[in-house]
Amino acid sequence: MARRSVLFTPGDRPEMLRKAPTTGADVVVFDLEDAVAPERMAEARKAVNDVLTSDFDPDCEVCVRVTAEAVEADLDVVLRGDPRLDAVMCPKVGSAADVERVADVLSEHDADRPIFALIETAEGVLAAPAIAAADPTTAVCFGAEDLAADIGAIRTPEGTEVLYARERVVLAASAAGVDAVDIVFTAIEDGEGLAEETAFGAGLGYDGKMVIHPAQVAVVNDAYTPTPERVEWAERVLDARDRAADEGRGVFRVDGEMVDAPLIAQAERVVERARAADA
């Protein structure tokens, strides 16, 4: 499945929860953490459960972000009945044990779900390989804002202060064979800046990006969807690879360029992404 855009929606806003899938986001996250004031948490849990157990069956992945301090209380309400829930996001993951703990709570409710592990602390960045490799982990997400606060870094437009961590998370995801979801872009009205940052994250190897406003979805989806020209190139490479194999040749050219294993891997990734995005 495509996970180009991962849209957060406040858990205490049922009208927004119902509309979230209409934005075109590949993943919608009903948020019980940062988006909800503590005094509204009980109301938010019930609102999320009410939506998930109603006539609600969108054509996207549906996820709930629980709170790190109250996972059991969150899931006790969210999982009542038969909720339309595909995954759970765990914030501030510092170790593989954190992922396993949430998975254990899900199992206690007979509701095993894959987990999006949100890495946003120094501890989590250093443990990223183990977190990504944990059995319940289906994706790792990188939270730059919380990481900067955790280590005392000052956020800059260039993002050099979090670049090492950003790269470490995507490397860990790739090594474990799970998806990597990039940082949020907080300047909602800066479409050009969003496009530039999204392109940079895609260039690092990320599979998608977290978004905090519906207006950001289309920009992010576009950046993570291969262009028709790119797909055509990839298909030419893979066709040439197959012909070369049939002819017993290990070396071949496409568009005047010598093709080797890394380019073949790139072509396979392009085709895979295009199919996932139905491009």
Side-chain angles (χ1 to χ4, degrees):
M1 68 185 73
R3 287 170 173 162
R4 300 165 298 176
S5 50
V6 178
L7 173 66
F8 289 84
T9 303
D12 59 348
R13 300 289 299 277
E15 72 285 359
M16 294 179 66
L17 299 178
R18 293 184 183 280
K19 290 180 180 179
T22 68
T23 63
D26 291 330
V27 184
V28 294
V29 181
F30 293 178
D31 194 6
L32 294 176
E33 200 207 20
D34 290 346
V36 178
E39 63 271 17
R40 292 178 60 87
M41 186 58 67
E43 179 182 345
R45 290 167 178 154
K46 184 177 184 305
V48 168
N49 179 259
D50 286 346
V51 172
L52 294 179
T53 55
S54 66
D55 184 18
F56 180 77
D57 190 22
D59 293 328
C60 64
E61 193 169 8
V62 181
C63 181
V64 169
R65 176 162 71 165
V66 296
T67 55
E69 303 80 9
V71 174
E72 292 85 355
D74 292 342
L75 292 178
D76 182 60
V77 177
V78 169
L79 294 174
R80 291 175 184 171
D82 185 21
R84 165 64 165 83
L85 181 64
D86 299 305
V88 170
M89 180 179 288
C90 182
K92 297 180 176 61
V93 176
S95 67
D98 290 341
V99 176
E100 298 290 352
R101 180 170 72 91
V102 176
D104 288 344
V105 176
L106 288 165
S107 292
E108 291 170 4
H109 288 80
D110 294 323
D112 293 331
R113 298 290 193 280
I115 292 173
F116 285 66
L118 183 49
I119 296 176
E120 48 190 342
T121 64
E123 181 184 20
V125 170
L126 294 178
I131 292 169
D135 286 341
T137 301
T138 188
V140 290
C141 311
F142 176 50
E145 307 305 322
D146 282 274
L147 176 65
D150 186 46
I151 65 177
I154 298 174
R155 291 289 278 124
T156 66
E158 298 76 20
T160 52
E161 68 283 351
V162 295
L163 183 57
Y164 164 75
R166 197 175 180 185
E167 292 177 327
R168 181 176 174 86
V169 168
V170 75
L171 286 171
S174 180
V178 300
D179 289 332
V181 184
D182 200 16
I183 60 178
V184 300
F185 186 75
T186 57
I188 295 172
E189 297 182 358
D190 184 3
E192 183 177 342
L194 172 64
E196 291 177 357
E197 186 185 85
T198 305
F200 182 78
L204 290 178
Y206 277 89
D207 299 288
K209 188 174 186 66
M210 295 181 286
V211 296
I212 55 175
H213 193 278
Q216 297 179 321
V217 170
V219 175
V220 171
N221 281 352
D222 183 65
Y224 280 102
T225 301
T227 64
E229 294 78 15
R230 186 68 171 164
V231 174
E232 289 172 3
W233 167 83
E235 291 174 341
R236 288 198 299 274
V237 168
L238 298 182
D239 287 345
R241 175 204 60 188
D242 294 342
R243 289 196 302 272
D246 291 340
E247 297 168 2
R249 293 185 291 110
V251 179
F252 57 94
R253 292 184 181 183
V254 173
D255 300 339
E257 180 181 21
M258 193 67 68
V259 176
D260 55 7
L263 280 179
I264 293 173
Q266 285 184 33
E268 291 173 338
R269 185 178 179 86
V270 168
V271 170
E272 180 181 346
R273 282 189 168 182
R275 287 174 179 166
D278 195 25

